[in-house]
């Protein structure tokens, strides 16, 4: 695989998956750190380990299973990424974009992107779910945009609009589900940083001043690729820790995974409710 993705790279990966399953997914899902258990309730599942898909970026991070699960959930045909790979693991952005491209090639119209995130908004608590209403593409502003390189005209425009990354209809549908099921959904702006080090108190005060509510190390590149080709995006953060704006508390990956145990059932309930209404 070269520096940038080609249509041939995407097709090679998609056909490796199609050889293992005849599911034709309409909805794609990416499950973040500690949130993978949603994939356990998928019916008639077919599994494809990432290592068996040519070019697929493979993750070694704890809390990420590292396989695709194809099957059905609430009557929808879905393809679920049980775990994702992050920029900090060393892959270049174009390569990190392959999974969303491949899910698009498999036929998805909608993608549900989830993550574990730190609360920058001081009123958010670990265990809260946050609907992503917009994002701050700080990593993209710093030059790391997955669309950098030759534009694949067949897939979308050179300069894609990002005025409405998170689909308004999916936002209202998700609000309805959360209200009906008393899930106490928060809303806000998500920011993706490169990681892997967590933020300093000064980083966090900067993000807060810039209007950020939750911070993590994913989602924004995936949402950018999704929108490039017109895939509708729903984004949900599971708040795993309070951000340490005053420098008094430490942040650890263990606490992120621990919070996932509380968050995963709530997230599962929310996503199942949304799928039922699609
Ligand atoms: N910062 C960045 N990424 C994260 C955090 C955090 O506090 N929590 C979970 N992912």
């Amino acid at each position: 695989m070269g520096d940038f993705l080609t249509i041939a790279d995407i097709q090679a990966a998609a056909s490796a998956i199609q050889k293992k399953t005849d599911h034709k997914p309409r909805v794609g899902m990416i499950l973040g750190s500690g949130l993978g258990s949603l994939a356990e309730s998928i019916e008639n599942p077919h599994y494809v380990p990432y290592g068996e898909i040519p070019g697929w970026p493979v993750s070694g991070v704890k809390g990420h299973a590292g396989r695709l699960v194809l099957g059905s959930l609430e009557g929808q045909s879905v393809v679920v990424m049980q775990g994702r790979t992050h920029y900090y693991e060393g892959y270049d952005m174009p390569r990190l974009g392959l999974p969303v491209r491949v899910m698009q090639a498999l036929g998805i119209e909608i993608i549900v992107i989830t993550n574990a995130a730190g609360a920058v908004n001081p009123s958010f608590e670990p265990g809260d779910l946050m609907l992503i209403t917009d994002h701050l593409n700080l990593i993209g502003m710093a030059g790391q945009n997955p669309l950098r390189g030759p534009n694949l005209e067949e897939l979308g425009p050179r300069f894609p609009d990002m005025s409405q990354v998170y689909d308004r209809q999916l936002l209202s549908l998700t609000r309805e589900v959360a209200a009906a099921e008393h899930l106490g959904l928060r809303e806000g702006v998500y920011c993706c940083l490169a990681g892997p080090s967590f933020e300093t108190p000064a980083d966090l005060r900067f993000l807060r001043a810039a209007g950020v509510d939750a911070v993590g190390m994913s989602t924004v590149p995936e949402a950018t690729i999704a929108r490039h080709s017109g895939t509708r995006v729903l984004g949900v953060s599971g708040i795993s820790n309070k951000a340490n704006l005053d420098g008094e508390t430490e942040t650890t990956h263990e606490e992120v995974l621990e919070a996932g145990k509380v968050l995963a059932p709530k997230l599962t309930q929310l996503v199942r409710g949304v799928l039922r209404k699609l």
Side-chain angles (χ1 to χ4, degrees):
M1 188 172 284
D3 286 348
F4 303 111
L5 283 189
T6 63
I7 298 286
D9 295 330
I10 298 163
Q11 275 166 356
S15 43
I17 297 161
Q18 279 158 337
K19 279 194 194 114
K20 300 195 176 241
T21 178
D22 48 14
H23 285 298
K24 302 220 169 356
R26 176 182 176 219
V27 182
M29 285 192 241
I30 305 177
L31 304 180
S33 301
L35 303 175
S37 62
L38 173 57
E40 253 102 75
S41 42
I42 288 171
E43 294 151 37
N44 189 16
H46 292 175
Y47 300 101
V48 188
Y50 294 161
E52 294 177 14
I53 310 170
W56 198 279
V58 176
S59 168
V61 184
K62 231 172 119 186
H64 290 258
R67 62 181 182 183
L68 276 185
V69 188
L70 294 101
S72 61
L73 194 58
E74 300 296 346
Q76 298 287 343
S77 181
V78 298
V79 52
V80 178
M81 283 174 63
Q82 201 175 16
R84 62 147 68 79
T85 305
H86 309 78
Y87 180 66
Y88 60 76
E89 293 177 71
Y91 293 98
D92 290 334
M93 272 292 176
R95 178 89 179 274
L96 283 176
L98 184 77
V100 175
R101 286 297 186 214
V102 171
M103 290 193 281
Q104 288 169 328
L106 295 175
I108 64 162
E109 297 160 22
I110 292 170
I111 189 162
V112 180
I113 310 179
T114 70
N115 59 56
V120 179
N121 185 325
S123 73
F124 290 3
E125 295 292 335
D128 284 349
L129 290 177
M130 185 192 89
L131 190 56
I132 305 176
T133 53
D134 199 356
H135 67 224
L136 181 71
N137 190 1
L138 208 50
I139 190 171
M141 291 179 199
Q144 295 297 342
N145 191 306
L147 300 176
R148 182 169 174 269
N151 186 49
L152 299 172
E153 288 295 323
E154 305 91 313
L155 303 183
R158 171 75 289 186
F159 301 109
D161 175 64
M162 291 288 147
S163 62
Q164 196 197 317
V165 176
Y166 301 90
D167 187 89
R168 283 195 195 130
Q169 253 179 304
L170 292 175
L171 284 172
S172 21
L173 209 137
T174 308
R175 287 181 187 116
E176 283 168 28
V177 172
E181 312 214 2
H182 309 288
L183 282 169
L185 192 61
R186 309 284 200 157
E187 299 196 6
V189 173
Y190 174 86
C191 179
C192 170
L193 302 181
S197 46
F198 287 118
E199 302 70 39
T200 65
D203 291 333
L204 291 163
R205 289 193 298 269
F206 168 79
L207 295 176
R208 188 66 196 135
V212 171
D213 295 293
V215 63
M217 304 172 191
S218 68
T219 301
V220 171
E222 295 147 347
T224 303
I225 294 191
R227 288 310 300 147
H228 179 246
S229 302
T231 305
R232 296 166 63 201
V233 181
L234 171 64
V236 184
S237 290
I239 301 299
S240 56
N241 54 286
K242 283 272 231 207
N244 117 60
L245 277 79
D246 55 9
E248 294 304 315
T249 44
E250 285 185 19
T251 305
T252 65
H253 187 55
E254 283 62 40
E255 124 187 75
V256 173
L257 295 182
E258 201 51 41
K261 293 182 192 153
V262 181
L263 285 161
K266 284 166 74 174
L267 184 75
T268 300
Q269 197 183 342
L270 184 68
V271 171
R272 292 184 85 118
V274 171
L275 289 175
R276 271 198 298 276
K277 286 183 165 245
L278 288 179

